Amino acid sequence: MSRPFAAAVAVALGAALLGTSCGGGSGEASGDTATAASSKQTLEQLWRAPGEDVAVVAGTSDHAVGTNRISFLVVDKQSQLIERPTARVWISRGLKQVPYATTIARLEPIGVPGGDTADANGIYVAKVVTPTAGRYWFMAEPVGGPKIQALGNMVVRKKSLAPSVGDRAIPSKTPTLASTGGDLSALTTARHPDRGLYDASVAQALAAHEPFVLAFATPQYCQSRTCGPVVDVVSAVRKKASSKGVRFIHVEIYKDNDPANGVNQWVSQWRLPTEPFTFVVDRTGLIRTKFEGAFSAAELERAVAAVRRT
């Protein structure tokens, strides 16, 4: 969820509202999608209702046909984050169309005490059902306080670029303490490295038939307003007693931890279009939960509990 991407979203929204045709051609999430009420208002009419009209800052972009976990920020015209417990969300195939479903987004806290900080304390997360490929539009209205409506869109592919829930994990020989001679600086850019994240590679965890969490993230070179704390969240969940029996693995994004060198071989193997990405894999090697971008410790804990039971 880079700042340039957020700017691009705002430009796209502006162009669409000037008359461009907008008709349309995973895992753990909060909220349940429901059929929209019988209101005949289009999504654009809902967005232009009394209140401040803004664009969302998207936290996810790799969407596929089916159920998607989407995340986003709402920022007012004074550049202030709107962080209320819930937001109502309407989903449509076009600005000029009536929404076909509604859901509730919940503000998930990101980061952990003593860890890296982000520009935001939380991020809105919702579950959205997208039955076919194409462009979808959604509007989020945080509940309570002065009215504000935030508009966003999402491109849905037949299959996501990154591995999806239900896919087999790729048996990458990711770097470990053993493979680097114990050099933590070669493994992570985290300010407070957790050695427990580098005990085993993905290939080793798969061979041992152990459930595991795999986080691709770069704390130092994170490119969004919310992704810095991801590795700290993974580390905090790893240390909980409820995570016993589950491996936790962190892999950096760039070759030799230098953005000038481009992404490393493991990011390429997993076909990641953005960063960070975190996968929760069961003991049979199937991906059971996928998080793009930031997530809360509670979201990850629920995903870990699910693979411990299988």
Side-chain angles (χ1 to χ4, degrees):
M1 185 174 64
S2 65
R3 290 181 176 85
F5 178 72
V9 169
V11 171
L13 289 171
L17 290 172
L18 287 173
T20 304
S21 174
C22 302
S26 18
E28 185 77 16
S30 60
D32 295 318
T33 303
T35 301
S38 58
S39 169
K40 296 301 182 182
Q41 287 185 300
T42 67
L43 193 70
E44 183 179 354
Q45 288 171 328
L46 289 168
W47 185 60
R48 293 193 180 281
E52 190 172 349
D53 302 331
V54 298
V56 302
V57 178
T60 53
S61 61
D62 190 25
H63 308 117
V65 170
T67 300
N68 290 283
R69 174 190 179 273
I70 66 169
S71 66
F72 56 89
L73 300 176
V74 176
V75 184
D76 69 18
K77 292 179 180 178
Q78 290 72 48
S79 300
Q80 298 298 307
L81 286 160
I82 306 301
E83 297 183 315
R84 302 171 192 164
T86 60
R88 191 177 180 193
V89 178
W90 291 258
I91 307 103
S92 174
R93 293 306 304 265
L95 284 171
K96 304 296 185 183
Q97 296 184 27
V98 174
Y100 69 85
T102 62
T103 189
I104 297 296
R106 304 189 187 283
L107 191 70
E108 294 285 350
I110 54 178
V112 294
D116 283 345
T117 58
D119 291 350
N121 294 317
I123 191 165
Y124 284 109
V125 174
K127 182 170 64 177
V128 174
V129 175
T130 51
T132 59
R135 186 178 299 275
Y136 290 75
W137 291 80
F138 66 94
M139 189 194 82
E141 184 180 85
V143 177
K147 288 198 69 174
I148 182 169
Q149 295 94 221
L151 193 63
N153 68 61
M154 53 190 290
V155 174
V156 175
R157 301 177 180 87
K158 289 182 179 179
K159 184 171 176 56
S160 61
L161 298 176
S164 301
V165 171
D167 288 348
R168 290 212 163 270
I170 298 166
S172 302
K173 295 180 180 179
T174 51
T176 64
L177 285 167
S179 69
T180 61
D183 183 5
L184 267 176
S185 66
L187 295 168
T188 180
T189 61
R191 291 188 301 118
H192 307 291
D194 176 2
R195 297 177 69 88
L197 300 178
Y198 312 100
D199 288 337
S201 69
V202 172
Q204 289 170 333
L206 287 169
H209 302 288
E210 297 172 327
F212 63 92
V213 174
L214 171 62
F216 290 94
T218 179
Q220 183 173 343
Y221 300 111
C222 160
Q223 294 295 306
S224 83
R225 301 183 67 170
T226 58
C227 66
V230 163
V231 177
D232 288 330
V233 171
V234 171
S235 175
V237 174
R238 183 191 75 80
K239 295 172 182 176
K240 289 181 173 287
S242 57
S243 297
K244 186 177 180 181
V246 178
R247 286 275 190 185
F248 286 73
I249 302 168
H250 167 232
V251 179
E252 282 280 337
I253 299 298
Y254 300 108
K255 184 179 179 181
D256 300 325
N257 294 339
D258 184 350
N261 294 333
V263 299
N264 60 43
Q265 61 181 301
W266 306 288
V267 171
S268 297
Q269 285 174 356
W270 282 70
R271 309 184 305 276
L272 304 183
T274 62
E275 58 83 22
F277 263 94
T278 303
F279 302 88
V280 183
V281 180
D282 69 17
R283 66 183 70 254
T284 72
L286 292 180
I287 297 170
R288 293 302 184 187
T289 302
K290 178 175 79 171
F291 298 108
E292 180 184 0
F295 51 86
S296 68
E299 287 184 280
L300 183 56
E301 286 169 12
R302 290 193 293 269
V304 167
V307 296
R308 284 191 72 203
R309 292 193 297 266
T310 59

PDB file of all heavy atoms in Angstrom, residues 209-234:
ATOM      1  N   HIS A 209       6.412 -31.633   8.126  1.00  0.00           N
ATOM      2  CA  HIS A 209       4.947 -31.640   8.259  1.00  0.00           C
ATOM      3  C   HIS A 209       4.501 -30.817   9.461  1.00  0.00           C
ATOM      4  O   HIS A 209       3.606 -31.211  10.211  1.00  0.00           O
ATOM      5  CB  HIS A 209       4.418 -33.074   8.358  1.00  0.00           C
ATOM      6  CG  HIS A 209       4.791 -33.915   7.168  1.00  0.00           C
ATOM      7  ND1 HIS A 209       4.224 -33.759   5.920  1.00  0.00           N
ATOM      8  CD2 HIS A 209       5.723 -34.908   7.033  1.00  0.00           C
ATOM      9  CE1 HIS A 209       4.750 -34.623   5.079  1.00  0.00           C
ATOM     10  NE2 HIS A 209       5.663 -35.334   5.719  1.00  0.00           N
ATOM     11  N   GLU A 210       5.129 -29.639   9.599  1.00  0.00           N
ATOM     12  CA  GLU A 210       4.784 -28.717  10.671  1.00  0.00           C
ATOM     13  C   GLU A 210       3.959 -27.561  10.112  1.00  0.00           C
ATOM     14  O   GLU A 210       4.295 -27.015   9.052  1.00  0.00           O
ATOM     15  CB  GLU A 210       6.051 -28.142  11.309  1.00  0.00           C
ATOM     16  CG  GLU A 210       6.952 -29.155  11.985  1.00  0.00           C
ATOM     17  CD  GLU A 210       8.270 -28.532  12.422  1.00  0.00           C
ATOM     18  OE1 GLU A 210       8.761 -27.624  11.729  1.00  0.00           O
ATOM     19  OE2 GLU A 210       8.793 -28.961  13.462  1.00  0.00           O
ATOM     20  N   PRO A 211       2.895 -27.173  10.798  1.00  0.00           N
ATOM     21  CA  PRO A 211       2.215 -25.937  10.391  1.00  0.00           C
ATOM     22  C   PRO A 211       3.147 -24.754  10.618  1.00  0.00           C
ATOM     23  O   PRO A 211       3.984 -24.778  11.530  1.00  0.00           O
ATOM     24  CB  PRO A 211       0.992 -25.882  11.307  1.00  0.00           C
ATOM     25  CG  PRO A 211       1.351 -26.723  12.491  1.00  0.00           C
ATOM     26  CD  PRO A 211       2.290 -27.778  11.997  1.00  0.00           C
ATOM     27  N   PHE A 212       3.020 -23.739   9.773  1.00  0.00           N
ATOM     28  CA  PHE A 212       3.923 -22.598   9.945  1.00  0.00           C
ATOM     29  C   PHE A 212       3.299 -21.306   9.430  1.00  0.00           C
ATOM     30  O   PHE A 212       2.358 -21.311   8.626  1.00  0.00           O
ATOM     31  CB  PHE A 212       5.273 -22.847   9.262  1.00  0.00           C
ATOM     32  CG  PHE A 212       5.227 -23.025   7.762  1.00  0.00           C
ATOM     33  CD1 PHE A 212       5.385 -21.949   6.902  1.00  0.00           C
ATOM     34  CD2 PHE A 212       5.040 -24.282   7.206  1.00  0.00           C
ATOM     35  CE1 PHE A 212       5.360 -22.111   5.524  1.00  0.00           C
ATOM     36  CE2 PHE A 212       5.015 -24.462   5.825  1.00  0.00           C
ATOM     37  CZ  PHE A 212       5.177 -23.372   4.979  1.00  0.00           C
ATOM     38  N   VAL A 213       3.863 -20.206   9.932  1.00  0.00           N
ATOM     39  CA  VAL A 213       3.533 -18.857   9.480  1.00  0.00           C
ATOM     40  C   VAL A 213       4.742 -18.345   8.712  1.00  0.00           C
ATOM     41  O   VAL A 213       5.873 -18.415   9.202  1.00  0.00           O
ATOM     42  CB  VAL A 213       3.223 -17.929  10.668  1.00  0.00           C
ATOM     43  CG1 VAL A 213       3.032 -16.479  10.194  1.00  0.00           C
ATOM     44  CG2 VAL A 213       1.994 -18.418  11.426  1.00  0.00           C
ATOM     45  N   LEU A 214       4.511 -17.821   7.528  1.00  0.00           N
ATOM     46  CA  LEU A 214       5.580 -17.299   6.685  1.00  0.00           C
ATOM     47  C   LEU A 214       5.289 -15.846   6.371  1.00  0.00           C
ATOM     48  O   LEU A 214       4.290 -15.533   5.721  1.00  0.00           O
ATOM     49  CB  LEU A 214       5.668 -18.115   5.385  1.00  0.00           C
ATOM     50  CG  LEU A 214       6.586 -17.564   4.292  1.00  0.00           C
ATOM     51  CD1 LEU A 214       8.033 -17.490   4.760  1.00  0.00           C
ATOM     52  CD2 LEU A 214       6.461 -18.399   3.025  1.00  0.00           C
ATOM     53  N   ALA A 215       6.162 -14.959   6.838  1.00  0.00           N
ATOM     54  CA  ALA A 215       5.976 -13.527   6.616  1.00  0.00           C
ATOM     55  C   ALA A 215       7.075 -12.988   5.715  1.00  0.00           C
ATOM     56  O   ALA A 215       8.260 -13.079   6.042  1.00  0.00           O
ATOM     57  CB  ALA A 215       5.990 -12.782   7.946  1.00  0.00           C
ATOM     58  N   PHE A 216       6.673 -12.435   4.577  1.00  0.00           N
ATOM     59  CA  PHE A 216       7.581 -11.704   3.703  1.00  0.00           C
ATOM     60  C   PHE A 216       7.411 -10.225   4.019  1.00  0.00           C
ATOM     61  O   PHE A 216       6.350  -9.644   3.749  1.00  0.00           O
ATOM     62  CB  PHE A 216       7.236 -11.944   2.233  1.00  0.00           C
ATOM     63  CG  PHE A 216       7.540 -13.327   1.730  1.00  0.00           C
ATOM     64  CD1 PHE A 216       6.570 -14.313   1.726  1.00  0.00           C
ATOM     65  CD2 PHE A 216       8.794 -13.633   1.232  1.00  0.00           C
ATOM     66  CE1 PHE A 216       6.838 -15.585   1.237  1.00  0.00           C
ATOM     67  CE2 PHE A 216       9.087 -14.903   0.738  1.00  0.00           C
ATOM     68  CZ  PHE A 216       8.108 -15.879   0.740  1.00  0.00           C
ATOM     69  N   ALA A 217       8.443  -9.606   4.580  1.00  0.00           N
ATOM     70  CA  ALA A 217       8.320  -8.212   4.992  1.00  0.00           C
ATOM     71  C   ALA A 217       9.701  -7.621   5.208  1.00  0.00           C
ATOM     72  O   ALA A 217      10.656  -8.335   5.511  1.00  0.00           O
ATOM     73  CB  ALA A 217       7.501  -8.094   6.281  1.00  0.00           C
ATOM     74  N   THR A 218       9.790  -6.298   5.083  1.00  0.00           N
ATOM     75  CA  THR A 218      11.053  -5.607   5.333  1.00  0.00           C
ATOM     76  C   THR A 218      10.805  -4.429   6.268  1.00  0.00           C
ATOM     77  O   THR A 218      10.350  -3.369   5.835  1.00  0.00           O
ATOM     78  CB  THR A 218      11.715  -5.147   4.016  1.00  0.00           C
ATOM     79  OG1 THR A 218      12.926  -4.451   4.309  1.00  0.00           O
ATOM     80  CG2 THR A 218      10.784  -4.293   3.162  1.00  0.00           C
ATOM     81  N   PRO A 219      11.059  -4.595   7.552  1.00  0.00           N
ATOM     82  CA  PRO A 219      10.761  -3.522   8.505  1.00  0.00           C
ATOM     83  C   PRO A 219      11.439  -2.192   8.172  1.00  0.00           C
ATOM     84  O   PRO A 219      10.829  -1.132   8.304  1.00  0.00           O
ATOM     85  CB  PRO A 219      11.279  -4.091   9.829  1.00  0.00           C
ATOM     86  CG  PRO A 219      11.230  -5.565   9.661  1.00  0.00           C
ATOM     87  CD  PRO A 219      11.556  -5.818   8.213  1.00  0.00           C
ATOM     88  N   GLN A 220      12.673  -2.232   7.715  1.00  0.00           N
ATOM     89  CA  GLN A 220      13.412  -0.993   7.476  1.00  0.00           C
ATOM     90  C   GLN A 220      12.969  -0.277   6.210  1.00  0.00           C
ATOM     91  O   GLN A 220      12.937   0.954   6.161  1.00  0.00           O
ATOM     92  CB  GLN A 220      14.905  -1.279   7.394  1.00  0.00           C
ATOM     93  CG  GLN A 220      15.754  -0.018   7.220  1.00  0.00           C
ATOM     94  CD  GLN A 220      17.248  -0.301   7.313  1.00  0.00           C
ATOM     95  OE1 GLN A 220      17.663  -1.352   7.805  1.00  0.00           O
ATOM     96  NE2 GLN A 220      18.049   0.628   6.842  1.00  0.00           N
ATOM     97  N   TYR A 221      12.604  -1.042   5.181  1.00  0.00           N
ATOM     98  CA  TYR A 221      12.325  -0.429   3.888  1.00  0.00           C
ATOM     99  C   TYR A 221      10.857  -0.520   3.489  1.00  0.00           C
ATOM    100  O   TYR A 221      10.515  -0.345   2.319  1.00  0.00           O
ATOM    101  CB  TYR A 221      13.186  -1.093   2.805  1.00  0.00           C
ATOM    102  CG  TYR A 221      14.658  -0.959   3.081  1.00  0.00           C
ATOM    103  CD1 TYR A 221      15.431  -2.079   3.426  1.00  0.00           C
ATOM    104  CD2 TYR A 221      15.288   0.274   3.022  1.00  0.00           C
ATOM    105  CE1 TYR A 221      16.781  -1.964   3.686  1.00  0.00           C
ATOM    106  CE2 TYR A 221      16.642   0.406   3.287  1.00  0.00           C
ATOM    107  CZ  TYR A 221      17.384  -0.718   3.620  1.00  0.00           C
ATOM    108  OH  TYR A 221      18.723  -0.603   3.890  1.00  0.00           O
ATOM    109  N   CYS A 222       9.998  -0.759   4.443  1.00  0.00           N
ATOM    110  CA  CYS A 222       8.554  -0.823   4.204  1.00  0.00           C
ATOM    111  C   CYS A 222       8.076   0.425   3.456  1.00  0.00           C
ATOM    112  O   CYS A 222       8.486   1.534   3.771  1.00  0.00           O
ATOM    113  CB  CYS A 222       7.867  -0.948   5.555  1.00  0.00           C
ATOM    114  SG  CYS A 222       6.151  -0.502   5.567  1.00  0.00           S
ATOM    115  N   GLN A 223       7.191   0.225   2.476  1.00  0.00           N
ATOM    116  CA  GLN A 223       6.780   1.306   1.589  1.00  0.00           C
ATOM    117  C   GLN A 223       5.372   1.842   1.848  1.00  0.00           C
ATOM    118  O   GLN A 223       4.852   2.580   1.030  1.00  0.00           O
ATOM    119  CB  GLN A 223       6.873   0.833   0.137  1.00  0.00           C
ATOM    120  CG  GLN A 223       8.289   0.546  -0.327  1.00  0.00           C
ATOM    121  CD  GLN A 223       9.147   1.791  -0.350  1.00  0.00           C
ATOM    122  OE1 GLN A 223       8.790   2.788  -0.967  1.00  0.00           O
ATOM    123  NE2 GLN A 223      10.271   1.751   0.347  1.00  0.00           N
ATOM    124  N   SER A 224       4.750   1.495   2.943  1.00  0.00           N
ATOM    125  CA  SER A 224       3.392   1.978   3.182  1.00  0.00           C
ATOM    126  C   SER A 224       3.278   2.619   4.553  1.00  0.00           C
ATOM    127  O   SER A 224       4.223   2.637   5.340  1.00  0.00           O
ATOM    128  CB  SER A 224       2.388   0.823   3.070  1.00  0.00           C
ATOM    129  OG  SER A 224       2.331   0.099   4.274  1.00  0.00           O
ATOM    130  N   ARG A 225       2.090   3.123   4.848  1.00  0.00           N
ATOM    131  CA  ARG A 225       1.838   3.805   6.114  1.00  0.00           C
ATOM    132  C   ARG A 225       1.608   2.837   7.270  1.00  0.00           C
ATOM    133  O   ARG A 225       1.535   3.255   8.409  1.00  0.00           O
ATOM    134  CB  ARG A 225       0.614   4.728   5.980  1.00  0.00           C
ATOM    135  CG  ARG A 225       0.750   5.797   4.922  1.00  0.00           C
ATOM    136  CD  ARG A 225      -0.442   6.727   4.887  1.00  0.00           C
ATOM    137  NE  ARG A 225      -0.531   7.538   6.090  1.00  0.00           N
ATOM    138  CZ  ARG A 225      -1.379   8.560   6.220  1.00  0.00           C
ATOM    139  NH1 ARG A 225      -2.196   8.870   5.253  1.00  0.00           N
ATOM    140  NH2 ARG A 225      -1.412   9.243   7.343  1.00  0.00           N
ATOM    141  N   THR A 226       1.456   1.551   6.967  1.00  0.00           N
ATOM    142  CA  THR A 226       1.036   0.615   8.011  1.00  0.00           C
ATOM    143  C   THR A 226       1.872  -0.648   8.123  1.00  0.00           C
ATOM    144  O   THR A 226       1.674  -1.429   9.049  1.00  0.00           O
ATOM    145  CB  THR A 226      -0.426   0.173   7.772  1.00  0.00           C
ATOM    146  OG1 THR A 226      -0.523  -0.429   6.480  1.00  0.00           O
ATOM    147  CG2 THR A 226      -1.377   1.367   7.836  1.00  0.00           C
ATOM    148  N   CYS A 227       2.822  -0.893   7.201  1.00  0.00           N
ATOM    149  CA  CYS A 227       3.432  -2.231   7.155  1.00  0.00           C
ATOM    150  C   CYS A 227       4.617  -2.414   8.093  1.00  0.00           C
ATOM    151  O   CYS A 227       5.055  -3.544   8.312  1.00  0.00           O
ATOM    152  CB  CYS A 227       3.840  -2.575   5.726  1.00  0.00           C
ATOM    153  SG  CYS A 227       5.150  -1.539   5.057  1.00  0.00           S
ATOM    154  N   GLY A 228       5.175  -1.339   8.657  1.00  0.00           N
ATOM    155  CA  GLY A 228       6.351  -1.470   9.500  1.00  0.00           C
ATOM    156  C   GLY A 228       6.248  -2.486  10.616  1.00  0.00           C
ATOM    157  O   GLY A 228       7.192  -3.238  10.876  1.00  0.00           O
ATOM    158  N   PRO A 229       5.115  -2.559  11.340  1.00  0.00           N
ATOM    159  CA  PRO A 229       5.032  -3.471  12.498  1.00  0.00           C
ATOM    160  C   PRO A 229       4.771  -4.935  12.177  1.00  0.00           C
ATOM    161  O   PRO A 229       4.661  -5.745  13.096  1.00  0.00           O
ATOM    162  CB  PRO A 229       3.847  -2.892  13.299  1.00  0.00           C
ATOM    163  CG  PRO A 229       3.573  -1.543  12.739  1.00  0.00           C
ATOM    164  CD  PRO A 229       3.989  -1.617  11.316  1.00  0.00           C
ATOM    165  N   VAL A 230       4.668  -5.332  10.913  1.00  0.00           N
ATOM    166  CA  VAL A 230       4.250  -6.696  10.583  1.00  0.00           C
ATOM    167  C   VAL A 230       5.138  -7.746  11.239  1.00  0.00           C
ATOM    168  O   VAL A 230       4.655  -8.706  11.851  1.00  0.00           O
ATOM    169  CB  VAL A 230       4.200  -6.899   9.053  1.00  0.00           C
ATOM    170  CG1 VAL A 230       4.192  -8.388   8.691  1.00  0.00           C
ATOM    171  CG2 VAL A 230       2.971  -6.216   8.469  1.00  0.00           C
ATOM    172  N   VAL A 231       6.462  -7.590  11.141  1.00  0.00           N
ATOM    173  CA  VAL A 231       7.360  -8.601  11.714  1.00  0.00           C
ATOM    174  C   VAL A 231       7.246  -8.618  13.236  1.00  0.00           C
ATOM    175  O   VAL A 231       7.317  -9.683  13.858  1.00  0.00           O
ATOM    176  CB  VAL A 231       8.809  -8.356  11.260  1.00  0.00           C
ATOM    177  CG1 VAL A 231       9.767  -9.356  11.916  1.00  0.00           C
ATOM    178  CG2 VAL A 231       8.918  -8.472   9.739  1.00  0.00           C
ATOM    179  N   ASP A 232       7.044  -7.457  13.852  1.00  0.00           N
ATOM    180  CA  ASP A 232       6.862  -7.416  15.307  1.00  0.00           C
ATOM    181  C   ASP A 232       5.592  -8.158  15.717  1.00  0.00           C
ATOM    182  O   ASP A 232       5.565  -8.848  16.743  1.00  0.00           O
ATOM    183  CB  ASP A 232       6.789  -5.969  15.790  1.00  0.00           C
ATOM    184  CG  ASP A 232       8.129  -5.264  15.741  1.00  0.00           C
ATOM    185  OD1 ASP A 232       9.162  -5.948  15.892  1.00  0.00           O
ATOM    186  OD2 ASP A 232       8.150  -4.043  15.544  1.00  0.00           O
ATOM    187  N   VAL A 233       4.535  -8.025  14.935  1.00  0.00           N
ATOM    188  CA  VAL A 233       3.286  -8.742  15.233  1.00  0.00           C
ATOM    189  C   VAL A 233       3.509 -10.243  15.127  1.00  0.00           C
ATOM    190  O   VAL A 233       3.088 -11.022  15.998  1.00  0.00           O
ATOM    191  CB  VAL A 233       2.158  -8.283  14.282  1.00  0.00           C
ATOM    192  CG1 VAL A 233       0.930  -9.178  14.435  1.00  0.00           C
ATOM    193  CG2 VAL A 233       1.793  -6.829  14.553  1.00  0.00           C
ATOM    194  N   VAL A 234       4.198 -10.679  14.071  1.00  0.00           N
ATOM    195  CA  VAL A 234       4.489 -12.106  13.895  1.00  0.00           C
ATOM    196  C   VAL A 234       5.313 -12.628  15.068  1.00  0.00           C
ATOM    197  O   VAL A 234       5.044 -13.703  15.617  1.00  0.00           O
ATOM    198  CB  VAL A 234       5.224 -12.339  12.557  1.00  0.00           C
ATOM    199  CG1 VAL A 234       5.743 -13.769  12.455  1.00  0.00           C
ATOM    200  CG2 VAL A 234       4.290 -12.024  11.385  1.00  0.00           C
TER     201      VAL A 234
END
